[in-house]
Amino acid sequence: MSKQADQQHQAGFWARRLTSAYSVGVAGLVGLGATWYRLRGPSASNGLRQRFGDDLPPRPAAGPIWIHASSMGEVRVAGLFAHELRQHGAALIASAMTETGFNLIPQVFPEGTAPFRMPFDIPGPIQRTLAHFKPAALVLIETEWWPNLLLHSAEAGVPIFVVNGRLSERSFARYRLGRPYWRQVLRAVELFYMRSEPDALRVRRLGVDAGRTRVIGAIKAVDAGNNGNGHPIPPWVEKSGGPLWIAGCTRPGEEDLVLEAWAIARQSVPDLRLWIAPRHPDRFAPVARLLEQRGHVVYRWSEHEADAKPPTGGTVVLIDRLGILASLYRYADVSFIGGSLQEYGGHSPLEPALAGAPVTFGPHMDEQRDAADLLLANGLAREVWGPASLAIALLEFLDSPSAVGERQHRIKRLLETLTRNRAEVARDLIARIRSPRN
């Protein structure tokens, strides 16, 4: 029996029976979701067929590596890692859970990667996808742990790896409730490349053997050549005056706090500009209304992409276009990471930091604690607790132009570390895939 088949055997028994019950529940939800997809029209129905493991793109070569990520942020990480794998001659296929992530794959993955939508996590679609592509390995980015995907991939003899793995304390609390189950299911994974020692410790506390975890550090970096996912950057972006503050990935309740901090900071820096990018597209219109109710002129990005003239002073630019935020951070003098002043767990602070924008975030960075601590340790970020401390941090960053050179040096060092981590994981993973398996 091969090592992978042995792992699958260990992951069986009652864990597989619980997975069968889970599959029945998922299948019911899929039935409801399928009706919704079909009502959206032919293009949505085409995507639905892929979710069922049908109408998949041709297999690019024998034994491709399947990389799966959740949404846009994880797809960007996956794309960078995919370029490392391609340097080793690997053929690639890539899936995403969300439609926005799927649409981003061609932008950030190497040419020739076959993109498709993640199949529903029920046996039929997973098995059809595996049979179609016959992958040499499955690479899961961060915490994409789907029971049927894990168990059926292992059953098919596909080695599974978790890359850039993270497990926050909040997520761990949920997984811990089903620890006996996850202990068996996660035996399907050959190796967890974790971002930090606390992440690795939490995985081990779920029952994963210490020998199957490696702390490699973060692998995420930014692509300096990113052009906003195909959307042009208006000429007025670089011609606008005054320092720029970008508040990215804001969540409900945070826009008011950001506006309060902006008002305080403008008492010292009257020409400080503010751009806000809500985390989810369904909040674009509500945030626009909120800004107008607060007496601000709103300049919606989607309506002014072709404009030649910049918005007037005091106008709030609402970034209501998906996929461009990462490419805009390089224009910012300071950034704020949303989901951190309210208890949402935060979002990745690495993109703005590596683009050269000093980072501010609140105390609720549970989902990104390792990245937050990394930036704090390198002097590239400040933690704040409310509008007043946020305004102080803004002004301190703006009042320290002499620190720009030192900050660029620290960014270069950090970028080298992330790139080295990514290359090391790719080399090790390729070696494991290509090694003889008994």
Side-chain angles (χ1 to χ4, degrees):
M1 182 181 290
S2 71
K3 177 181 177 182
Q4 194 69 24
D6 183 57
Q7 289 175 351
Q8 168 59 23
H9 176 73
Q10 294 179 44
F13 286 36
W14 65 270
R16 181 166 282 282
R17 288 174 171 76
L18 280 179
T19 302
S20 297
Y22 151 84
S23 299
V24 171
V26 172
L29 293 174
V30 164
L32 294 174
T35 302
W36 178 77
Y37 261 88
R38 292 188 181 99
L39 291 175
R40 295 178 65 195
S43 61
S45 293
N46 291 339
L48 181 62
R49 285 192 287 273
Q50 283 195 349
R51 301 285 186 185
F52 279 107
D54 298 317
D55 289 348
L56 295 166
R59 187 176 60 195
I65 296 176
W66 176 3
I67 304 177
H68 173 64
S70 177
S71 191
M72 294 181 69
E74 295 81 9
V75 168
R76 290 187 189 280
V77 176
L80 290 165
F81 185 62
H83 282 277
E84 295 287 348
L85 294 176
R86 178 57 59 83
Q87 290 187 22
H88 294 274
L92 303 170
I93 59 175
S95 63
M97 182 59 64
T98 67
E99 198 69 13
T100 53
F102 166 76
N103 292 331
L104 184 61
I105 289 173
Q107 302 289 331
V108 299
F109 272 72
E111 186 176 354
T113 301
F116 60 102
R117 298 163 178 87
M118 166 68 182
F120 292 122
D121 194 46
I122 47 182
I126 296 292
Q127 290 169 339
R128 283 191 289 274
T129 302
L130 289 167
H132 175 79
F133 287 117
K134 297 181 174 61
L138 172 62
V139 174
L140 304 175
I141 302 298
E142 299 193 2
T143 322
E144 282 295 280
W145 303 346
W146 295 95
N148 280 304
L149 177 61
L150 289 169
L151 295 178
H152 288 284
S153 295
E155 187 176 58
V158 178
I160 304 168
F161 303 90
V162 171
V163 169
N164 206 45
R166 65 186 178 94
L167 186 61
S168 69
E169 192 63 48
R170 185 165 63 173
S171 296
F172 171 71
R174 294 194 297 269
Y175 280 102
R176 184 173 54 187
L177 295 175
R179 182 181 180 277
Y181 173 77
W182 285 107
R183 180 180 181 181
Q184 292 195 35
V185 171
L186 292 178
R187 282 176 177 162
V189 178
E190 183 166 318
L191 193 64
F192 294 79
Y193 297 96
M194 304 304 290
R195 298 201 312 194
S196 71
E197 183 57 43
D199 288 309
L201 177 60
R202 285 189 280 268
V203 168
R204 292 195 290 267
R205 288 168 65 189
L206 285 180
V208 173
D209 300 335
R212 292 193 294 120
T213 64
R214 283 190 59 190
V215 177
I216 201 68
I219 66 169
K220 185 172 185 177
V222 290
D223 179 2
N226 183 282
N227 68 351
N229 193 21
H231 297 293
I233 302 299
W236 55 262
V237 169
E238 296 189 71
K239 296 178 181 177
S240 301
L244 172 61
W245 179 28
I246 295 182
C249 298
T250 57
R251 305 293 288 267
E254 292 187 318
E255 288 84 14
D256 274 324
L257 302 177
V258 166
L259 291 173
E260 189 175 340
W262 188 43
I264 296 171
R266 289 179 73 199
Q267 295 175 18
S268 300
V269 185
D271 60 346
L272 176 63
R273 295 173 293 146
L274 172 62
W275 295 3
I276 295 180
R279 172 65 174 176
H280 296 118
D282 59 0
R283 298 196 62 243
F284 292 160
V287 171
R289 288 194 297 270
L290 182 148
L291 293 170
E292 290 168 351
Q293 291 167 1
R294 300 296 185 272
H296 298 286
V297 177
V298 180
Y299 201 82
R300 294 190 67 152
W301 184 278
S302 61
E303 298 173 359
H304 296 279
E305 286 179 319
D307 288 7
K309 294 182 178 180
T312 57
T315 299
V316 178
V317 174
L318 178 64
I319 303 171
D320 59 348
R321 181 77 76 184
L322 292 175
I324 64 170
L325 180 60
S327 64
L328 296 180
Y329 278 129
R330 66 178 180 266
Y331 301 104
D333 295 280
V334 189
S335 65
F336 166 73
I337 301 301
S340 63
L341 282 175
Q342 301 287 347
E343 295 185 20
Y344 292 101
H347 300 288
S348 175
L350 289 175
E351 286 180 342
L354 294 172
V359 178
T360 57
F361 46 70
H364 304 293
M365 288 289 285
D366 305 346
E367 298 291 334
Q368 298 287 337
R369 194 69 257 171
D370 61 318
D373 289 344
L374 182 65
L375 295 185
L376 290 170
N378 282 275
L380 298 173
R382 300 278 181 86
E383 186 167 295
V384 300
W385 299 272
S389 63
L390 178 53
I392 291 171
L394 278 173
L395 295 173
E396 287 179 348
F397 277 128
L398 293 174
D399 288 343
S400 304
S402 60
V404 172
E406 174 61 24
R407 187 163 63 245
Q408 291 299 327
H409 176 67
R410 293 176 180 179
I411 290 170
K412 181 181 178 182
R413 256 187 347 207
L414 180 58
L415 186 57
E416 289 171 350
T417 298
L418 297 176
T419 303
R420 187 168 57 250
N421 292 348
R422 198 164 60 241
E424 182 181 343
V425 174
R427 283 194 303 270
D428 188 72
L429 191 149
I430 288 289
R432 290 174 182 274
I433 293 173
R434 293 175 178 172
S435 66
R437 292 171 182 271
N438 299 318

